[in-house]
Each structure stands twice: as structure tokens, then as C-alpha cells.
Amino acid sequence: MSMPRDRTEFSTLFDAAATELEAALKRSSIGKRPDEIGAPREHAFAEFLKDWVPESCGIANGYVVSTRRGISRQADVLLYRRATCPKFVTDKKTDRRLIPIEEVYGTIEIKSTLTKTELSDAVDKCGSVAKLTNSGRYEPEELRVQAAEVENSSSRNDDLEWKDYRLRMPRAIQRRSNGTNP
């Protein structure tokens, strides 16, 4: 008979992981240019996720592609089905990939500051994935986005204020077999 896990064990483990992530994010703030700050933060967050998502979930950065030659904007973090996803690696050093839309679980955008402009950019990037045609699978009419400001939080134990955003996405135009619009 096994004993139930103590809730504090998980809490302690997660606090330790959060401390490691926080240290990596602080180290990245040394950079002067946006790419010197953003790229290390994206990498640190992706490495953090690798310890928490199931083995079946791959983590990379790059672009989502469709069978109809559509391509998304560059995504900071792509979560994808590792077992069946082809390895379209475009840059081994940064593990930048092309991920078919059928293999994508989700995308994450990392922002150092969350201004209205930055949020709009992140939503546009995620929306570029949602707009891709995915071989007849369900296409969303609505995109759900969550955001929280973590840098100004005074303590890790504070409850973050998560804000939900829902965006309406236009349905893709269905094309007839002869290539003309209905």
C-alpha cells in the first residue's frame, strides 16, 4: 500500500524549479539588445518546460507549416507531438524547426515586458498558427490567450493576476476543387 503524496512535496519541488527559472531570467537581463535578452529567456523557459511536460511532448522554437504551404510567424516555444512529428530542423544550434500543424499542441510567446503593443504582437503570432489550414481538422473560430505580469510580483507565493483574452478568428475561406472561391 503506498502512501498518498504530501502536497508540500510538490510545492517544494515546484518552488525549487521556479527559483532556477527566475535565476536564468535574471541572468538574461544583462544583455543590451532585445535579442540578447529575449533569446536566453525563451531558451530558459523552454528548458524549464522540458522538466514538466510529458516525454511525448516535444519543445522547440520555429514555425508551424500547413500542407497548403501556409507558414506561421516565428513562435518562441512550440509544443508538439514528438512521436509522429517529422524532424524538419532548420537550425541545429537553436533547435529551430518547421512543425506541421497536425502535430502542434500549442504555442507560447515569451515577453520581457507586457505592453499593449507586445500583447498585440504575441496575439498576432499565435493567431498566425490558428489561421493555418490543417488538412480538414477543426479550425477554431476563437483563440484563447492568457497573460500574467510576473516581474512586478513581490513574492513567488503571491497569486498572479491572470487575465483571459478571447479573440475571434475569421474562418478560412473554403476553396472549390477548381481553385475558385465559392
Side-chain angles (χ1 to χ4, degrees):
M1 182 171 145
S2 64
M3 294 182 63
R5 286 193 171 165
D6 186 1
R7 182 172 162 83
T8 58
E9 281 182 36
F10 179 76
S11 178
T12 302
L13 179 62
F14 194 79
D15 281 347
T19 299
E20 289 175 20
L21 176 60
E22 186 176 27
L25 296 178
K26 283 182 182 178
R27 282 191 302 274
S28 71
S29 66
I30 297 169
K32 302 291 183 217
R33 297 187 330 249
D35 63 316
E36 292 175 338
I37 296 170
R41 288 183 176 181
E42 293 161 15
H43 178 74
F45 188 75
E47 289 301 311
F48 169 79
L49 279 179
K50 287 178 183 176
D51 290 338
W52 295 95
V53 299
E55 292 283 328
S56 61
C57 184
I59 299 171
N61 71 75
Y63 303 87
V64 178
V65 295
S66 74
T67 56
R68 296 188 180 163
R69 298 184 181 177
I71 188 164
S72 72
R73 291 182 58 196
Q74 188 272 333
D76 295 340
V77 178
L78 289 166
L79 304 171
Y80 64 93
R81 188 174 339 180
R82 182 180 291 198
T84 56
C85 186
K87 291 186 178 183
F88 298 139
V89 179
T90 63
D91 185 346
K92 285 185 180 185
K93 183 179 177 187
T94 62
D95 195 29
R96 181 161 291 143
R97 296 174 181 236
L98 299 175
I99 308 289
I101 186 70
E102 292 84 2
E103 306 298 331
V104 173
Y105 291 129
T107 66
I108 300 172
E109 286 301 308
I110 310 297
K111 298 295 179 189
S112 296
T113 57
L114 190 60
T115 64
K116 186 176 182 177
T117 301
E118 291 293 331
L119 178 60
S120 178
D121 181 60
V123 167
D124 287 347
K125 285 183 175 184
C126 293
S128 74
V129 173
K131 289 178 185 176
L132 291 176
T133 301
N134 53 10
S135 301
R137 284 182 32 195
Y138 171 76
E139 293 187 32
E141 287 185 3
E142 190 171 85
L143 179 66
R144 182 173 170 244
V145 178
Q146 286 188 324
E149 187 173 352
V150 294
E151 193 164 315
N152 292 335
S153 177
S154 61
S155 167
R156 244 187 320 278
N157 296 329
D158 287 348
D159 287 329
L160 296 175
E161 184 180 333
W162 286 93
K163 296 178 182 175
D164 284 327
Y165 301 88
R166 294 196 185 275
L167 305 157
R168 301 284 300 163
M169 299 298 295
R171 278 207 175 270
I173 297 172
Q174 298 297 320
R175 305 222 180 251
R176 292 185 185 165
S177 61
N178 65 3
T180 62
N181 290 337

